[in-house]
Amino acid sequence: MVTGSVLSRGQPTRHMSDRWLYAWGLASVAFGGASLVVPLYVVDLGGGPFVLGVLAAVAAVVGVPGALWFGRVADRTGRRRGLVLVALVGATLAVAVVPLTERIAAVIAANAVVWFAFAAATPVVTLLVVADAPESAWSDRIADLNRYQGIGWALGLLLGTAWTVGGAAVASPAAATRTLFAPLAAAAGLSCVAAARSLPADPPRAGAEGPVDLPSGSRVRRALRRADRFAVRGATLPGALARTDFRGLDPRRVAARFTPALAAYFLAALLFLTGFSAFFAPLPAFLTETGFGSGGTFALYLVNSVAAAVAFGAAGRLAADGNAVRLQVGGLVARGVLLPLVAVAGAALGASALGFVAVGVAFAAVGLTWAVIAVTAGVIVTRLAPAAIRGEALGAYAALGALAGGIGSVLGGWLAAMGYGLAFAAAGALVLAGAAVALAVGRRVDGGGPGATR
């Protein structure tokens, strides 16, 4: 984990108030572990792939209202510290409650609270990290925040791997999965204590007009576009919101200024993001039934996340220097082919050593493609959107991802109930269809057409 609160051109600048980033990193350990242990627990309770689809869909769709609500309350009241604490306490309680019930509906509800809290806190912590810094340092601060979050997320998956593998050696695999909620809830609880002790004080209010030092949404969105996202989270939880400033997002204004090329690209994104969720939603059930168990499943997700994280910088450089659409289409085609191959390799080789290696290589490759796709999507949307709505267009893209997460999760779960091969083939087909539509708009982005922006 990085120790400097800001990495500006390689020169760390430390601020005592930035100790709260460790609290957010600790909370991310809980979020990262919960992203997989809850689906595995549902499988242990007898939930099939369709139930996992519903679980993932509900988690995806609660994110947008959470981010919108908390972001706007932060603007109106300036009480950013209290909002973050409320979100962390809510997530802690929800994680702690899950293993106390065997009712799947209650687990789905608790999981929704976890991801509502995560999505709600995300825009507020973004405001906190830039609040006391000059605008020239915002991108570096957001990048630093993303690194704390990304490393915490990966550590949550690593904890899940070690806990379930070790627990299965001394108890049943189901017991190992169920007891994992204890350290995750402890990490979330400790993050509440650390946040209460270290979060910066709220800014002074200016009478009824609200706080006096809130950074404007447009400037924060520009910083977000420049920041390295270190997207461990999105690699394994496709329906989760990107780190986007939703303040002032008006879908009607964005829709009114859609260019044909931007509308076509949003269609492409809806297709391939739906495909991603259709693959990941039933995946824990598939891996469990194939024999990988909770420990093996955690390990494979960790491989996927780490591969995405290490490739993000290189993908960003390629997207900046080369043809963004062709780069993305290449990543989409590779991913569209890889998703069904996971089913083929898993079914053919099972949980043998060779099977784990083969599926692990496929998972790593899927993670690499996520880095390419995530970076290039921001570049493409920015270039296609009219200058007046570029920041809002990125917010609309993030919201579209949540919508696609809901649709794809239900679709993937429903198809997987009939056959995992069918579900993963459909997921791959949706990704390839999205690649075809993206390729059709490529000339407008990279070829200097009317919608291109240099």
Side-chain angles (χ1 to χ4, degrees):
M1 185 173 293
V2 293
T3 56
S5 65
V6 178
L7 299 180
S8 180
R9 308 299 189 273
Q11 299 297 321
T13 303
R14 301 176 189 274
H15 294 262
M16 290 301 291
S17 62
D18 286 348
R19 289 178 301 171
W20 68 268
L21 289 173
Y22 288 99
W24 185 245
L26 191 58
S28 297
V29 173
F31 288 123
S35 70
L36 187 52
V37 71
V38 175
L40 290 172
Y41 182 59
V42 169
V43 171
D44 286 344
L45 294 179
F50 180 74
V51 174
L52 288 186
V54 173
L55 177 81
V58 172
V61 299
V62 299
V64 173
L68 282 169
W69 183 33
F70 270 51
R72 289 173 179 170
V73 171
D75 272 356
R76 289 198 303 270
T77 68
R79 295 180 178 176
R80 294 169 287 189
R81 174 186 170 90
L83 290 170
V84 174
L85 288 173
V86 166
L88 292 180
V89 169
T92 301
L93 294 176
V95 171
V97 159
V98 170
L100 303 180
T101 179
E102 295 185 353
R103 295 176 58 241
I104 290 178
V107 174
I108 292 173
N111 189 61
V113 172
V114 172
W115 299 111
F116 179 91
F118 174 79
T122 295
V124 185
V125 296
T126 304
L127 292 177
L128 281 172
V129 82
V130 302
D132 62 346
E135 187 171 347
S136 60
W138 286 3
S139 295
D140 291 323
R141 280 181 172 262
I142 293 170
D144 201 27
L145 171 64
N146 292 338
R147 281 188 285 272
Y148 276 85
Q149 179 176 296
I151 292 171
W153 192 283
L155 288 175
L157 293 175
L158 180 60
L159 171 64
T161 303
W163 189 279
T164 51
V165 170
V170 298
S172 69
T177 300
R178 190 165 192 160
T179 56
L180 176 58
F181 286 97
L184 295 177
L190 288 173
S191 77
C192 296
V193 175
R197 293 171 60 90
S198 61
L199 279 172
D202 292 328
R205 291 178 58 85
E209 298 301 320
V212 297
D213 67 342
L214 284 172
S216 71
S218 60
R219 289 185 292 155
V220 173
R221 286 190 288 266
R222 284 196 298 271
L224 285 165
R225 291 200 296 271
R226 294 191 296 266
D228 172 19
R229 283 163 167 61
F230 198 75
V232 170
R233 179 195 70 253
T236 54
L237 196 68
L241 291 180
R243 186 176 298 285
T244 302
D245 193 321
F246 284 90
R247 294 177 297 157
L249 176 60
D250 185 345
R252 293 172 298 180
R253 180 172 179 264
V254 177
R257 298 203 177 194
F258 264 17
T259 63
L262 181 60
Y265 182 71
F266 272 36
L267 172 61
L270 180 64
L271 289 169
F272 65 69
L273 292 171
T274 299
F276 298 168
S277 293
F279 170 76
F280 276 100
L283 186 59
F286 169 75
L287 294 173
T288 300
E289 292 180 21
T290 306
F292 286 94
S294 296
T297 301
F298 264 105
L300 290 170
Y301 272 61
L302 180 61
V303 166
N304 177 263
S305 296
V306 171
V310 299
F312 225 74
R317 291 188 293 272
L318 288 172
D321 298 337
N323 187 309
V325 172
R326 289 182 185 174
L327 183 61
Q328 181 174 92
V329 168
L332 288 170
V333 170
R335 181 171 266 220
V337 173
L338 285 166
L339 300 188
L341 283 181
V342 171
V344 172
L349 301 175
S352 63
L354 179 60
F356 185 84
V357 170
V359 176
V361 169
F363 264 64
V366 169
L368 293 173
T369 62
W370 170 249
V372 171
I373 295 161
V375 169
T376 51
V379 174
I380 294 168
V381 171
T382 300
R383 291 181 179 175
L384 283 175
I389 62 162
R390 279 180 185 155
E392 290 174 276
L394 288 170
Y397 175 82
L400 180 69
L403 173 64
I407 296 171
S409 296
V410 173
L411 176 65
W414 176 63
L415 291 175
M418 295 182 276
Y420 290 108
L422 175 63
F424 293 167
L430 284 167
V431 175
L432 293 175
V437 177
L439 184 62
V441 299
R443 184 181 62 84
R444 303 293 296 273
V445 180
D446 296 307
T453 300
R454 294 294 179 185

